[in-house]
Amino acid sequence: MNDEPRWLTAEEQLVWRSYIEAATLLEDHLDRQLQRDAGMPHVYYGLLVKLAESPRRRLRMTELAKYAKITRSRLSHAVARLEKNGWVRREDCPSDKRGQFAILTDEGHEVLRRTAPGHVNAVRQAVFDRLTPEQQESLGEIMRIVAEGLQPSEAGADLPWLR
């Protein structure tokens, strides 16, 4: 039995390091843009977007954590900050004593409306304007494959939103 790791080839190392560098720089770029324009990090913006897209601008906290791919404690902290800004409010779930809804307020919706043009411009300049349509399609396909492989469906999977 061979316990030797399958080391990355030189080409794979280049791809991996390029991905890490690009992902880190992109997240920093988007965070800086959103901090400048709305005083919030990228992850908070994503939470507001998901709530805006949800029926009645509300979502169970567990579903919001799953969407954001973050732990429930990190979500709770984020929602507390968004509540402090008046952009989100929480409401107890009538059918589940332990469950809560996060609800996008009118003020939060307005912040999102004002911030979205600058954010989409930052995304477009950083990613889409640099790629051909074929590269965009390939990138989307590759990222879907990677994401699907990292979200096992079996019970007890160690996923952030289950912690």
Side-chain angles (χ1 to χ4, degrees), residues 1-6:
M1 193 156 140
N2 185 2
D3 288 339
E4 182 70 18
R6 287 182 52 219

Side-chain angles (χ1 to χ4, degrees), residues 6-58:
R6 287 182 52 219
W7 297 108
L8 298 179
T9 66
E11 294 80 18
E12 289 169 334
Q13 272 288 3
L14 286 173
V15 169
W16 176 244
R17 289 179 181 171
S18 294
Y19 165 77
I20 292 296
E21 183 177 7
T24 302
L25 289 169
L26 180 59
E27 190 62 26
D28 179 68
H29 174 72
L30 297 177
D31 263 341
R32 283 184 293 115
Q33 177 269 317
L34 287 164
Q35 286 289 355
R36 182 183 63 242
D37 292 358
M40 76 175 101
H42 188 219
V43 70
Y44 290 16
Y45 179 83
L47 296 172
L48 296 180
V49 167
K50 185 61 178 173
L51 289 172
E53 294 171 343
S54 298
R56 298 174 48 214
R57 299 192 320 208
R58 66 191 299 127

